[in-house]
Amino acid sequence: MTFDLFDALEATEQSQEQLAPGAFVLRAFALPYVQQLLPALAAIEQASPFRHLITPGGFRMSVAMTCCGELGWTSDRRGYRYSAIDPDTGRHWPPLPTVFLQLAQSAAAQAGFDGFMPEACLINRYEPGTRLTLHQDKDELDYGAPIVSVSLGIPAMFLFGGNARNDKAARVPLFHGDVVVWGGPDRLRFHGILPLKEAEHSLLGRQRINLTFRKVA
DNA sequence: CAGTCGCG
DNA sequence: GGAG
């Protein structure tokens, strides 16, 4: 039988780790919000279903994505962009639920970023095998605001790299309820997710949901 | 190059 | 031969 610490670990008490001067892992920070988060997520998914985006290179992303908020992030052969309209439905993205905003603002403040006002929340759905290669979040006009990233469901190995693609990336296991916040001098750090291991979560099944909050403009 | 692939 |  195979078994390791990565499979067994899951933070149940809140704690804080500093990855860099402007980057923090807030363990279990989102747990008090989960009961309200999940029904809000179900409503968003019904209005703007998850879809696999195509990169400018013509490849299908393994993560399934949707968005909520005034603006949503999308990609196609023409490039990456933020849009007020969901290109799949032709309608506005669902509004940012109050509980989403409360969680994002309190996590940002906990990491030292007061007054965070995101207008976009990108929602990524991972299944075992799904990955996100090293990239920068640089489609926003405002790099003064941090990125707030919430993990729900099965664990994932987060890669936190440097400001250059070839910089060696730190590996940070992320579990249900963990929140990562990075901004200031670390706002443009490369980051990604290794292919997820097979796992099952009691609330979310064989999936990981990631909420990423950004101030776009 | 938010991708896959080849190489080592 | 597999992971990164």
Side-chain angles (χ1 to χ4, degrees):
Chain A
M1 148 167 197
T2 61
F3 183 86
D4 61 30
L5 286 174
F6 180 72
D7 296 317
L9 274 168
E10 179 159 348
T12 53
E13 291 183 23
Q14 295 195 0
S15 64
Q16 193 162 155
E17 303 164 22
Q18 188 161 12
L19 297 176
F24 303 85
V25 181
L26 313 180
R27 295 290 178 193
F29 189 91
L31 288 184
Y33 299 84
V34 168
Q35 189 178 348
Q36 294 178 74
L37 250 28
L38 296 185
L41 188 60
I44 291 165
E45 179 175 356
Q46 185 159 1
S48 275
F50 283 104
R51 79 293 306 262
H52 292 273
L53 298 178
I54 302 300
T55 65
F59 297 102
R60 172 188 183 274
M61 295 178 67
S62 64
V63 290
M65 296 180 164
T66 188
C67 300
C68 62
E70 293 172 35
L71 294 169
W73 186 88
T74 63
S75 173
D76 58 27
R77 288 166 193 79
R78 292 158 34 203
Y80 310 134
R81 76 185 64 75
Y82 280 95
S83 168
I85 301 296
D86 175 352
D88 273 25
T89 66
R91 293 180 275 105
H92 286 269
W93 299 101
L96 199 66
T98 301
V99 60
F100 278 37
L101 185 61
Q102 288 172 337
L103 168 56
Q105 290 183 325
S106 60
Q110 176 66 33
F113 299 96
D114 290 315
F116 182 47
M117 277 300 310
E119 58 266 350
C121 176
L122 175 56
I123 304 170
N124 293 152
R125 185 186 65 198
Y126 297 76
E127 291 172 31
T130 302
R131 70 158 84 189
L132 198 56
T133 59
L134 225 47
H135 67 279
Q136 292 172 300
D137 293 357
K138 59 177 183 183
D139 300 316
E140 302 75 25
L141 301 174
D142 182 356
Y143 296 155
I147 300 293
V148 174
S149 174
V150 177
S151 294
L152 301 169
I154 65 177
M157 190 64 80
F158 181 60
L159 302 173
F160 192 69
N163 293 314
R165 185 180 292 274
N166 289 337
D167 292 347
K168 181 173 171 57
R171 291 164 166 242
V172 182
L174 295 179
F175 305 94
H176 183 251
D178 292 349
V179 180
V180 185
V181 181
W182 64 97
D186 299 306
R187 173 61 179 74
L188 290 175
R189 297 275 283 244
F190 277 86
H191 57 282
I193 292 286
L194 289 183
L196 260 66
K197 296 175 62 171
E198 187 63 55
E200 176 139 0
H201 186 268
S202 57
L203 291 179
L204 286 151
R206 285 173 73 254
Q207 64 175 345
R208 169 177 187 262
I209 298 290
N210 176 70
L211 312 176
T212 308
F213 297 90
R214 302 100 181 270
K215 173 155 187 57
V216 177

